[in-house]
Amino acid sequence: MKKVLNDLYDYFGMKIYQYEEGFKFSLDSILLAEMVHVCKNTQNILDLCTGNAVVPLILSTKTHLPIVGFEIQNEIYQLARESVKYNQKEEQINIYHDDIKNWNLYFPGNNFDIITCNPPYFKVHHLDFINSQPLKQIARHEVKITLEEIIDLSSKCLKLKGSLYMVHIPSRLQEIMILLNRYGFGMKELYFVYPNPNKESFLILFRAVKNAKMGLKVYSPIYLNQLKTYQNLFE
């Protein structure tokens, strides 16, 4: 596959490596990174399913804190490393090539203040019906990790009152709420994303807090056709 170096949307001067045909970052990763609020007590950030490192790179424009990412696919991991190097973020962003289920080989439990994740959206009911392109297959379908496993390990990795930021699809919101409750999270913020006011929501963004009290804020809809930029959208 041909590798290309593209602009990282409208983040001035930043670029990202991706494949011309195949794996590319998308809007959901940009929105996820923009949603993250880094408070003064935050010490570190963990990005799960990091892909070609688009979320860590965008976060590096908002904070100087150390950011760790995990990517299981070697081809995509190599893109992430090259992207981090090109943008001269090697001292801030560290990408691991491993299954995120092996996080405890690298870090103690209850270690992170913030976890971000753009996970595979779709369950695997039958392999014949999922994407035949291996890189997309693992990125989009729960071949290597499930939603429940991500929420479980996030609970183990986060400090008390740490925040989990995730982007997902609306059809799985009910399941997400059940799993968050099962593993000790309280959802605190929720956004619905729409192409325009006449279409159904196709993405959700949420922040859940470990051991949080009940109390959820559902914010105004995000209509993509009304946006001139995604930067500072959540401020």
Side-chain angles (χ1 to χ4, degrees):
M1 287 183 288
K2 183 180 178 181
K3 181 174 63 178
V4 293
L5 183 64
N6 296 136
D7 290 334
L8 184 50
Y9 191 62
D10 55 356
Y11 298 91
F12 181 75
M14 299 196 81
K15 294 183 180 292
I16 193 162
Y17 283 100
Q18 45 193 1
Y19 291 123
E20 190 172 52
E21 296 181 3
F23 185 91
K24 290 186 177 181
F25 79 90
S26 55
L27 170 65
D28 47 5
S29 292
I30 296 175
L31 292 174
L32 173 63
E34 280 296 329
M35 184 189 178
V36 175
H37 174 69
V38 181
C39 66
K40 62 180 181 180
N41 295 324
T42 302
Q43 296 181 330
N44 51 26
I45 300 170
L46 171 63
D47 183 48
L48 307 178
C49 309
T50 203
N52 53 349
V54 60
V55 172
L57 286 170
I58 293 175
L59 288 176
S60 75
T61 69
K62 302 169 68 173
T63 179
H64 296 295
L65 293 171
I67 304 168
V68 174
F70 273 81
E71 174 51 46
I72 193 170
Q73 300 192 76
N74 182 58
E75 297 94 330
I76 308 304
Y77 162 74
Q78 296 299 333
L79 293 178
R81 286 197 61 187
E82 291 184 61
S83 297
V84 170
K85 183 176 181 180
Y86 178 89
N87 292 285
Q88 300 180 342
K89 298 290 185 177
E90 295 159 289
E91 292 188 4
Q92 182 182 9
I93 301 173
N94 192 6
I95 308 295
Y96 289 88
H97 174 220
D98 203 347
D99 190 323
I100 58 177
K101 297 174 190 174
N102 297 326
W103 63 271
N104 57 340
L105 300 180
Y106 304 90
F107 303 101
N110 310 314
N111 186 63
F112 290 93
D113 295 293
I114 291 174
I115 291 179
T116 56
C117 186
N118 182 355
Y121 290 160
F122 306 105
K123 292 185 177 183
V124 178
H125 298 293
H126 196 293
L127 289 178
D128 290 343
F129 293 96
I130 68 176
N131 200 294
S132 60
Q133 216 271 18
L135 298 182
K136 290 183 179 180
Q137 183 184 103
I138 292 173
R140 296 179 179 178
H141 299 268
E142 294 181 341
V143 176
K144 296 293 186 180
I145 195 164
T146 66
L147 175 62
E148 180 166 6
E149 289 171 326
I150 288 171
I151 292 175
D152 180 19
L153 71 87
S154 294
S155 179
K156 294 172 180 173
C157 290
L158 280 171
K159 298 174 184 176
L160 190 67
K161 302 300 182 183
S163 291
L164 168 63
Y165 290 86
M166 190 181 292
V167 58
H168 220 291
I169 52 176
S171 61
R172 299 191 69 180
L173 177 56
Q174 186 176 17
E175 180 185 1
I176 289 168
M177 300 284 276
I178 292 170
L179 291 173
L180 288 173
N181 182 67
R182 181 178 301 170
Y183 291 99
F185 285 98
M187 185 181 288
K188 304 300 290 183
E189 300 178 39
L190 177 61
Y191 294 86
F192 289 88
V193 183
Y194 300 77
N196 61 62
N198 299 315
K199 298 290 186 178
E200 293 183 358
S201 172
F202 73 107
L203 284 177
I204 58 170
L205 296 148
F206 69 85
R207 179 176 73 96
V209 175
K210 182 177 174 181
N211 286 59
K213 295 180 180 179
M214 295 182 66
L216 170 63
K217 292 183 179 180
V218 180
Y219 290 92
S220 299
I222 297 172
Y223 299 118
L224 297 181
N225 70 323
Q226 297 178 2
L227 302 179
K228 294 182 179 180
T229 179
Y230 303 122
Q231 292 189 45
N232 306 316
L233 177 61
F234 300 92
E235 292 186 354

